[in-house]
């Protein structure tokens, strides 16, 4: 979502009074009724909002514009300052939701998550959030069009899982995890960098203590990475993030190739009908250790119950991989049992051996309580969403809603 120097001075549609920037052509600003005009400079640039000085535009997406900002009293401190587009600021429901989710996201504090340090409204009422500025490229830039070495994919995926584990423990589902929302800073040695997840301020809380706030017709998440249940408008939970992680790993290992290609309607239809294709089916000549391929395949199962149960389980599976095989130093054992074990639960592995899974192990993978669902409306898919932009959580096995989500 980086922005070039040319785009810094690109003409924009904005409100002549409040300065809200619009992607759609509104004759008048829905927020204050003033005329929407074309200007040759973003009105936010050079302004001061509260204690933040807005220096430059560094990103833009379907929800808002992101600026590099400095603290007025601590000039060496830099932040990513995200302002909601006027298209969304005009909706009272969206403004309320934006604020509530920013407040929840501000509670996250983890090395693999870009913190939300502040949020509020401009003097004209435009909602904004302030995040740590992460000085590093996005994962989509690092992927490029060349497959990443398997060892680096595993190292990055493990750190991404740690960030997700922290968020999920706080009851927050990102729901728009994708390479563009993962920024990578230099790491020690040859670890491949430290990934940090951004845009948790627009994530989904699975807290059911308040009414659902949704925006009719607004897409949540990104079709290329959203889980099948998310694309169908069914309940989702943290396993939707794990699906998006699997799709992200798929692109890392293939050099940016999507698991399914075609129009957005074709992609949605294929993804909601069946499991994502295996890496070798999509790219037969790809040399990826089968155990790693199995992990990606399990992450991208259509049914949430067939995926890993948690980010911690994914970490454990990644840790079990042989680094010598990942580096290509030794051949992968031909044992089918070894590769199939990744796709089996602890109970299934124990059953195959004629044993009973140890209680401690069984307890470790059994959720202590059902995950409360959030019912999302059916998500309309428009041609504009074809490249990237969808969303929503699923309950536990005893809940009838889960059966519907996994149907």
């Amino acid at each position: 979502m980086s922005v070039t120097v040319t785009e810094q001075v690109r003409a924009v549609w904005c409100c002549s009074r409040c300065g809200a920037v619009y992607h759609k052509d509104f004759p008048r600003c829905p927020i204050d009724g003033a005329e929407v005009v074309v200007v040759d400079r973003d009105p936010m640039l050079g302004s001061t909002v509260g204690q933040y000085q807005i220096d430059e535009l560094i990103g833009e997406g379907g929800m808002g514009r992101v600026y590099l900002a400095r603290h007025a009293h601590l000039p060496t401190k830099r932040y990513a300052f995200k302002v909601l587009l006027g298209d969304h600021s005009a909706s009272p429901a969206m403004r309320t939701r934006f604020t509530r989710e920013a407040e929840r996201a501000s509670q996250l504090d983890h090395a693999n998550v870009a913190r939300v340090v502040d949020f509020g409204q401009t003097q004209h009422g435009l909602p904004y959030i302030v995040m740590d500025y992460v000085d590093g490229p996005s994962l989509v830039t690092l992927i490029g069009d060349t497959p990443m070495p398997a060892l680096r994919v595993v190292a990055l995926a493990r750190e991404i899982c740690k960030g997700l584990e922290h968020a999920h423990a706080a009851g927050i589902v990102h729901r728009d995890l994708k390479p563009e929302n993962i920024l990578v800073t230099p790491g020690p040695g040859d670890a491949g960098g430290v990934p940090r997840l951004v845009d948790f301020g627009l994530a989904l809380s699975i807290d059911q203590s308040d009414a659902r706030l949704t925006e009719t017709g607004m897409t949540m998440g990104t079709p290329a990475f959203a889980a099948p249940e998310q694309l169908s408008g069914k309940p989702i939970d943290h396993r939707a993030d794990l699906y998006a992680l699997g799709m992200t790993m798929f692109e890392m290992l293939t050099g940016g190739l999507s698991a399914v290609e075609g129009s957005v309607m074709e992609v949605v239809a294929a993804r909601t009908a069946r499991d994502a294709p295996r890496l070798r089916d999509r790219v037969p000549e790809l040399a990826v250790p089968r155990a790693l391929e199995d992990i990606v395949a399990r992450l991208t199962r259509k049914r949430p119950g067939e995926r890993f149960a948690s980010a911690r389980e994914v970490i454990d599976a990644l840790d079990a991989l042989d680094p010598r095989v990942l580096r290509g130093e030794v051949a992968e054992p031909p044992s089918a049992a070894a590769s199939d074990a990744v796709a089996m639960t602890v109970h299934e592995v124990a059953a195959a051996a004629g044993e009973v899974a140890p209680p401690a192990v069984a307890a470790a993978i059994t959720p202590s309580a059902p995950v409360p669902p959030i019912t999302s409306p059916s998500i309309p898919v428009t041609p504009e969403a074809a490249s990237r932009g969808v969303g929503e959580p699923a309950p536990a096995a005893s809940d009838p809603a889960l059966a519907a989500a996994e149907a």
Side-chain angles (χ1 to χ4, degrees), residues 97-115:
R97 179 174 177 272
F98 185 89
T99 300
R100 291 191 182 184
E101 298 306 337
E103 182 176 8
R104 288 176 175 133
S106 68
Q107 300 169 13
L108 300 179
D109 187 7
H110 190 274
N112 297 114
V113 175
R115 291 184 310 139

Side-chain angles (χ1 to χ4, degrees), residues 73-310:
H73 307 299
L74 301 168
T76 59
K77 293 285 289 182
R78 297 191 297 173
Y79 301 94
F81 190 97
K82 185 163 192 171
V83 182
L84 201 62
L85 288 172
D87 309 60
H88 303 302
S89 297
S91 163
M94 185 62 213
R95 291 155 66 93
T96 302
R97 179 174 177 272
F98 185 89
T99 300
R100 291 191 182 184
E101 298 306 337
E103 182 176 8
R104 288 176 175 133
S106 68
Q107 300 169 13
L108 300 179
D109 187 7
H110 190 274
N112 297 114
V113 175
R115 291 184 310 139
V116 171
V117 299
D118 199 0
F119 58 92
Q121 295 185 357
T122 68
Q123 61 177 339
H124 296 294
L126 300 178
Y128 68 82
I129 58 175
V130 184
M131 298 167 280
D132 283 336
Y133 174 67
V134 180
D135 190 6
S138 67
L139 184 56
V140 71
T141 300
L142 295 179
I143 291 174
D145 57 4
T146 304
M148 273 190 182
L151 194 64
R152 189 180 190 193
V153 172
V154 169
L156 289 170
R158 190 180 189 283
E159 294 301 304
I160 293 169
C161 282
K162 288 165 67 175
L164 289 177
E165 181 182 34
H166 175 72
H168 295 167
I172 295 178
V173 177
H174 191 291
R175 93 171 153 190
D176 195 19
L177 184 70
K178 56 185 177 182
E180 290 89 337
N181 283 339
I182 302 170
L183 304 181
V184 182
T185 58
D190 60 352
V194 179
R196 298 187 69 184
L197 312 183
V198 301
D199 262 5
F200 264 107
L202 300 178
L204 174 69
S205 170
I206 57 174
D207 179 8
Q208 286 286 282
S209 63
D210 57 16
R212 282 288 293 129
L213 296 167
T214 60
E215 178 71 359
T216 302
M218 186 174 65
T219 59
M220 292 296 175
T222 300
F225 299 90
E229 65 272 20
Q230 192 173 357
L231 292 169
S232 302
K234 294 179 180 179
I236 69 167
D237 62 15
H238 61 281
R239 292 171 295 184
D241 283 347
L242 300 184
Y243 185 96
L245 169 65
M247 284 298 182
T248 297
M249 293 176 67
F250 194 106
E251 293 205 359
M252 294 165 75
L253 289 164
T254 61
L257 288 180
S258 298
V260 178
E261 292 187 342
S263 70
V264 66
M265 298 303 293
E266 291 170 337
V267 170
V268 170
R271 296 259 305 284
T272 54
R274 63 187 72 90
D275 295 340
R278 292 181 67 91
L279 284 160
R280 293 177 196 228
D281 293 336
R282 180 74 172 87
V283 189
E285 68 276 14
L286 193 66
V288 174
R290 182 166 293 278
L292 177 55
E293 182 186 16
D294 287 342
I295 291 175
V296 175
R298 184 174 172 188
L299 284 167
T300 55
R301 294 274 193 248
K302 174 193 168 187
R303 298 174 183 271
E306 295 178 2
R307 299 173 203 152
F308 289 93
S310 67

